[in-house]
Amino acid sequence: QFPFGRRLPCDIYWHGVSFHDNIIFSGQVNKFPGMMETVRKITLSRAMRTMQDLFPLEYNFYPRSWILPEELPLFVAEVRMMKDSNPSWKPTFIVKPDGGCQGDGIYLIKDPSDIRLTGSIQSRAAVVQEYICKPLLVDKLKFDIRLYVLLKSLEPLEIYIAKDGLSRFCTEPYQEPTLKNLHQVFMHLTNYSLNIHSGNFIHSDSVNTGSKRTFSSILCRLSSRGADVKKLWSDIISLVIKTIIALTPELKVYYQSDIPAGKPGPTCFQILGFDILLMKNLKPMLLEVNANPSMRIEHEQELSPGVFENVPSPVDEEVKVAVIRDTLRLVDPLKKKRKDTHLSFHTYLLIFPTQLQSLHAGIASMKDKQHKHHSLKLSLKLCQSLEQVPGASEELPDAPPSPEAALPSLCLKQVFPKYAKQFSYLRLVDRVAALFIHFLGVKGTTKLGPTGFRTFIRNCKLSNSNFSMAAVDILYIDITRRWNSMAIDHKESGMCLQAFVEAFFCLAQKKYKSLPLHEQVASLIELCECRLAALHGKRLLWG
Ligand code: ADP
């Protein structure tokens, strides 16, 4: 660990919280620039809404959501309309503060008028979402699933899913929400950080009992009840792929700004935590995506009042150690080097504090010898994947066997590009983002200025007698002003990607009136790409 950084370049950098190091010029970093911002509740809900507008059926795994405070009137109006058209509909909503985590500040309501609107704009920023009232129960308890997903590369897109995850249980038997039980967090919220404080939390050494279990143990149980577990996995895989497809446009904007193409920089990968709720009918619903999922493999136990000790958690260990070990195996620079050069190198791994730190956390403080031994063994297990034998190579005759051979089979399964064909039609906003990035001009920015927008319209030949350049300017000003008034940070002026997407949809609707939205947008993208290719061809010819 190098808490103050390190001068010599490394093959892998392991940051604790986010991508924050602008002086890395090579190697691989375990965080993407902008990931934290992209998966915040409001940004995620916006990205999902855009995809729901384009592909409502494909994206119905994300609960209907509204952004507060700006969409409060819309929320009130839509709920009233739905209630009018279906008087038997008795919905519940869940309000989640934008910056919150671990269930902080979350509450349930039955009526839009119950939203609490006090505090500054920042503190009021939240998402209000339809509450899933009929979750699948096991042992009469609500639970959710934490699945680990490795985004190994953004361009080209490479996604891996861990074969096992965690199931986190509530600690009070579930009842459908009523005015009387709305406030009972141990019944409605599955957060480990909340339920651990309930007197009913059960720490278990077994992976299929207690308040935290492996997801595979739940699948076994479902399978023995006759559930179609294969279908469930395939639904989960498509949920993950579709969610990442919704996130990539924004991530690409951050990426080109922090690591401009053509300049030396690192490549990135990231382990994400997907929180998924299963409905009674086994449909998986996305709750949220965590950019910085906890990798702790022990929990605190209160020995006597006020005296805590870290004790190993076998369930966490089983799932998380495999995820980190396989991530390191997949990004292992030696693999590539061995293939490329038949030579061997030493791997340097630079770990920044906080995340892997948990592996060692408490070892020193452990009084119990057995626990200390256990944790050290665990660290060694993880390090196996990094141990390299100098001079050894798979390809050389009489070389010792690759260290891979001694490891268990991969728990991370590649799902993209493996299933790319099925999902490529959904990647429309990605192509809109490519146009946006093309016209950004100045390297290092994430917002488009008025000149960039005009150049986009001109180069793609989108203005005509019905749509003058003056109208183009008005469109730019209207949309940009509205988006900037909603933004919490005003660091940069100009049009953000989401505003550009809105403007693009607007232009598409104008041009191709009678088609469904995704066809309008696809047609406009094709037109723009064609015209830019022609322009580029002409430039090459003149050049
Ligand atoms: P946080 O980041 O604060 O944990 P989440 O979005 O994960 O916020 O929500 C916390 C918990 O609330 C979830 O683990 C889940 O149990 C419950 N929850 C969240 N959204 C819904 C929903 N739409 N329907 C039902 N339960 C939900």
Side-chain angles (χ1 to χ4, degrees), residues 299-317:
H299 59 81
E300 267 185 2
Q301 208 169 44
E302 195 166 13
L303 295 178
S304 52
V307 183
F308 291 91
E309 192 193 36
N310 282 322
V311 291
S313 162
V315 185
D316 286 289
E317 183 185 325

Side-chain angles (χ1 to χ4, degrees), residues 87-235:
S88 66
W89 187 53
K90 300 266 179 285
T92 304
F93 302 96
I94 182 163
V95 185
K96 314 189 213 179
D98 183 44
C101 61
Q102 305 190 324
D104 269 355
I106 291 184
Y107 58 96
L108 304 188
I109 54 170
K110 279 280 185 192
D111 193 85
S113 61
D114 296 331
I115 284 182
R116 302 168 201 161
L117 278 177
T118 49
S120 63
I121 288 214
Q122 270 100 327
S123 66
R124 277 183 294 163
V127 166
V128 56
Q129 197 168 73
E130 242 182 290
Y131 186 73
I132 298 154
C133 291
K134 293 186 192 301
L136 179 75
L137 305 182
V138 165
D139 299 335
K140 299 199 174 102
L141 299 168
K142 175 175 171 176
F143 67 96
D144 76 352
I145 308 161
R146 158 62 57 85
L147 269 191
Y148 296 93
V149 171
L150 170 67
L151 179 56
K152 186 166 173 279
S153 153
L154 195 55
E155 193 84 89
L157 190 56
E158 270 184 72
I159 310 169
Y160 289 76
I161 301 184
K163 281 193 227 160
D164 205 353
L166 297 170
S167 306
R168 299 161 308 179
F169 279 72
C170 276
T171 41
E172 253 171 50
Y174 183 77
Q175 285 165 11
E176 284 196 28
T178 60
L179 279 175
K180 272 194 182 151
N181 69 28
L182 277 189
H183 61 280
Q184 296 191 27
V185 290
F186 300 143
M187 176 186 287
H188 291 293
L189 307 188
T190 49
N191 300 77
Y192 165 78
S193 48
L194 290 174
N195 283 282
I196 185 98
H197 299 297
S198 129
N200 300 332
F201 195 93
I202 303 170
H203 290 292
S204 167
D205 279 355
S206 155
V207 292
N208 52 16
T209 57
S211 300
K212 207 191 250 184
R213 311 182 193 177
T214 57
F215 179 45
S216 54
S217 77
I218 303 287
L219 287 176
C220 270
R221 199 136 153 196
L222 292 177
S223 170
S224 69
R225 284 190 211 164
D228 188 350
V229 170
K230 254 195 179 160
K231 156 106 177 37
L232 174 57
W233 254 120
S234 110
D235 288 348

